[in-house]
Amino acid sequence: MAELVGLALALPPTIDLCLKYGRQLRALCANLRQADAQISERVIRLDNNWMLFTHKLDFLKRIQHLIEDDHREIWGQTLRILLSKLEIVTGIINRLVRPLPVFLEINHSLEVNARRGKYILIKKSLDKAIEELETWQQTTDQSWFLLMRIADSQVDLALQTPINLDAIDDKPQSNTATAIPSTVTIRASRMQDSTYGSSSEAGLTFDAAELSKMFIQQVAFSQISIAQRLYGNGQVGVYILNQITCEPVAKYQLIKKDARDLARKLQHNDPHTFGLLACKGVAVPLSTPTKGLHDRTTAPSMLTMVFRQPVHTTGIPNSLRYVLSHTAPPQTLSLRFDYAKQLARSVSYVHTFGFVHKNIRPESILVFTSTKSGLPSQSLFLVGFENFRREDGSTQRLGDDTLERNLYRHSSRQGASPNEDYIMQHDIYSLGVCLLEIGFWKSFIRYHPQTGQALPTEILPVSPHPDIKQVNHFLHTRGKEFLLHLARNELPQYMGTRYAEIVETCLTCLDPDNQDFGDEREFQDEDGIRVGVRYIEKVVLRLNQLCV
């Protein structure tokens, strides 16, 4: 495409070209509103996509000078892809909306058949245009929301500045903060002032005794529970309960504060966008522990994060551990790719919201059945917020020797007293182990049916009934190298070379010689954006490019 020559990292010209083709596409579609009810429905859907698309590009253009080169390059790549798709789709629809030849208009039957065939082609072209825009929106979501972490008042000004959506209609001007409310959710979670309303946490905590009014059942192979409550109006509320043990008790107030902070940040209505459930609040005991605050043997206090069931899902969810242990491998790779992409997205947004998770494993991942077309048949959500903390908060360096947790920890974070502070790369390593299991569609851990003890499955080269010290020694000294062996030598035949390379990138992200993540000094920027950009580039975007 000649117009792309020389654009490179110059985002404004590329944005202007995208807007140009987008306006042409929308103008062409406006002429089709009266053509057919199904076509009209598609045009409205395209309009809605266009609005979001325009707001994102206008905002990006306003703050592009604040973006670092790596992040700018990602946007340049995705914009050039979008531009090529817009040009192709616009050309197709432009040809389809041309008047019929005169000889067809003379013959009524030929005209009817020609218009019917033409409308079928138009519908397919509109579907393609909608799909292209929605795919682009989803592909760029992580990069888009990462912009909300930039600590500069110009970002807030750009969010609040009204824009003219299009000269072809008389719609009132709107701003990006209003048009895309989820941007406000993330921006407010990063800012300490009142730019986006009160930061009060009133209503985020409630008496834990309220949980006794719910019917609660445990999710198989998970620390998560599902709760149902019958309200006076006959409606049934369904919630997901995530219990947090405040240990040591001396840190109760700090953990409670972080839990409230996370609950506030997860006050969103886009669980399918973020891969993180919307939080109703935190259930806390009325009495605060006051005795033995410096005695770790004191019974710890408990908090419970209460999440809402995601819309457009049905039934009781399963844990990923249960799915990998009790369901047959899918006939195609599509579902495995969907799982991997969704999980990688969830990890990205935990970081975007300003936390490290510290507990990414199949027990902390819920799988819901989706009921809405356009969504994956099964939707994954990351929960298990037991040991999370703010990414800029202090780390306790407290651990344990349990197999079901140590397997997903880098060797520097294993055992009761980890050697290193926790950073985002440790979450990326845990993701790599999960992606390995998803690729093989095999659980690396099984639970004893009577005792519930976690035991290794046959894929791990240890005794099926090992001494815990033996397992921990293997994990600490050879565990990572064995997982890398699986990723390099066995995974490609199941999932292909590109998927295996992404898993290897995750598993080696803490290695000094890893060119993508190895040098921690590269990621010590004030806003904490660089590691997120690198993760999007080297993991998220590469996974999104995989297809069957």
Side-chain angles (χ1 to χ4, degrees), residues 327-544:
T327 63
Q331 294 299 310
T332 69
L333 297 182
S334 297
L335 186 62
R336 302 187 204 197
F337 285 155
D338 278 346
Y339 274 25
K341 293 172 185 179
Q342 291 183 63
L343 182 54
R345 173 201 60 190
S346 299
V347 174
S348 177
Y349 283 123
V350 168
H351 171 72
T352 300
F353 278 108
F355 284 85
V356 286
H357 191 279
K358 301 178 68 175
N359 190 34
I360 298 172
R361 56 195 180 102
E363 288 83 353
S364 300
I365 301 161
L366 296 184
V367 182
F368 287 84
T369 299
S370 302
T371 59
K372 182 181 179 181
S373 61
L375 292 175
S377 61
Q378 297 181 29
S379 296
L380 268 64
F381 297 91
L382 183 59
V383 285
F385 295 97
E386 297 177 6
N387 304 307
F388 73 96
R389 66 165 174 79
R390 291 175 57 90
E391 63 184 1
D392 57 356
S394 60
T395 180
Q396 303 301 315
R397 290 202 184 183
L398 297 177
D400 54 59
D401 287 320
T402 59
L403 168 62
E404 65 271 27
R405 297 176 188 271
N406 266 347
L407 177 60
Y408 301 90
R409 294 169 176 157
H410 188 267
S411 57
S412 64
R413 289 292 306 179
Q414 291 178 8
S417 300
N419 297 327
E420 296 182 2
D421 291 346
Y422 203 98
I423 55 178
M424 184 189 179
Q425 287 89 318
H426 289 107
D427 277 345
I428 298 173
Y429 177 87
S430 301
L431 169 68
V433 184
C434 293
L435 294 182
L436 197 57
E437 287 181 286
I438 291 170
F440 287 121
W441 204 262
K442 291 181 180 179
S443 173
F444 292 175
I445 289 174
R446 64 185 179 89
Y447 286 94
H448 192 283
Q450 278 76 46
T451 66
Q453 179 187 4
L455 299 169
T457 57
E458 71 283 353
I459 201 166
L460 297 179
V462 293
S463 167
H465 299 283
D467 177 85
I468 188 64
K469 292 183 179 180
Q470 175 192 353
V471 176
N472 286 330
H473 177 74
F474 164 75
L475 292 177
H476 188 72
T477 58
R478 295 170 42 225
K480 177 191 155 192
E481 293 308 314
F482 176 73
L483 297 175
L484 275 174
H485 166 77
L486 293 178
R488 291 166 174 165
N489 300 290
E490 298 187 29
L491 187 60
Q493 62 183 306
Y494 287 84
M495 298 294 289
T497 301
R498 290 195 294 168
Y499 183 93
E501 289 174 346
I502 297 169
V503 173
E504 181 177 347
T505 294
C506 293
L507 293 176
T508 59
C509 68
L510 286 151
D511 291 3
D513 58 352
N514 181 300
Q515 295 181 356
D516 299 326
F517 294 98
D519 190 351
E520 187 180 345
R521 293 170 298 179
E522 292 185 16
F523 308 116
Q524 294 176 347
D525 56 318
E526 183 178 348
D527 299 327
I529 292 177
R530 291 177 189 165
V531 65
V533 170
R534 192 68 57 87
Y535 173 74
I536 290 170
E537 178 187 6
K538 300 300 181 181
V539 179
V540 176
L541 291 181
R542 289 167 67 191
L543 280 173
N544 286 340

Side-chain angles (χ1 to χ4, degrees), residues 133-147:
L133 280 177
E134 291 180 346
T135 299
W136 183 82
Q137 300 272 15
Q138 295 166 6
T139 300
T140 59
D141 271 345
Q142 282 96 341
S143 292
W144 162 254
F145 287 116
L146 202 56
L147 296 173

Side-chain angles (χ1 to χ4, degrees), residues 106-257:
I106 296 174
N107 188 315
H108 179 69
S109 61
L110 286 176
E111 179 187 4
V112 170
N113 289 333
R115 291 192 183 278
R116 184 180 294 118
K118 191 172 184 179
Y119 283 170
I120 291 173
L121 291 175
I122 290 174
K123 289 174 186 176
K124 290 182 178 179
S125 297
L126 284 175
D127 286 341
K128 181 176 177 59
I130 292 168
E131 180 184 354
E132 297 287 7
L133 280 177
E134 291 180 346
T135 299
W136 183 82
Q137 300 272 15
Q138 295 166 6
T139 300
T140 59
D141 271 345
Q142 282 96 341
S143 292
W144 162 254
F145 287 116
L146 202 56
L147 296 173
M148 299 304 114
R149 290 181 62 115
I150 299 176
D152 193 297
S153 60
Q154 295 178 72
V155 173
D156 305 295
L157 179 62
L159 286 173
Q160 300 294 338
T161 300
I163 70 169
N164 184 11
L165 283 179
D166 205 326
I168 69 171
D169 58 30
D170 296 322
K171 288 185 178 180
Q173 293 183 340
S174 63
N175 61 46
T176 303
T178 302
I180 313 177
S182 48
T183 61
V184 176
T185 301
I186 292 186
R187 186 64 178 169
S189 75
R190 299 295 300 169
M191 307 300 290
Q192 300 301 318
D193 58 31
S194 57
T195 303
Y196 300 97
S198 172
S199 60
S200 170
E201 294 174 350
L204 288 179
T205 58
F206 54 90
D207 185 2
E210 292 293 312
L211 299 180
S212 64
K213 301 175 183 179
M214 301 180 180
F215 172 72
I216 300 175
Q217 60 185 113
Q218 194 83 12
V219 175
F221 303 137
S222 177
Q223 68 275 33
I224 303 301
S225 299
I226 302 298
Q228 295 178 312
R229 181 171 182 176
L230 179 63
Y231 291 98
N233 58 6
Q235 292 187 339
V236 177
V238 181
Y239 303 100
I240 293 87
L241 306 184
N242 186 152
Q243 198 170 69
I244 301 170
T245 302
C246 300
E247 193 173 16
V249 180
K251 299 295 182 181
Y252 172 82
Q253 292 297 343
L254 177 61
I255 296 172
K256 180 180 176 182
K257 181 179 182 299

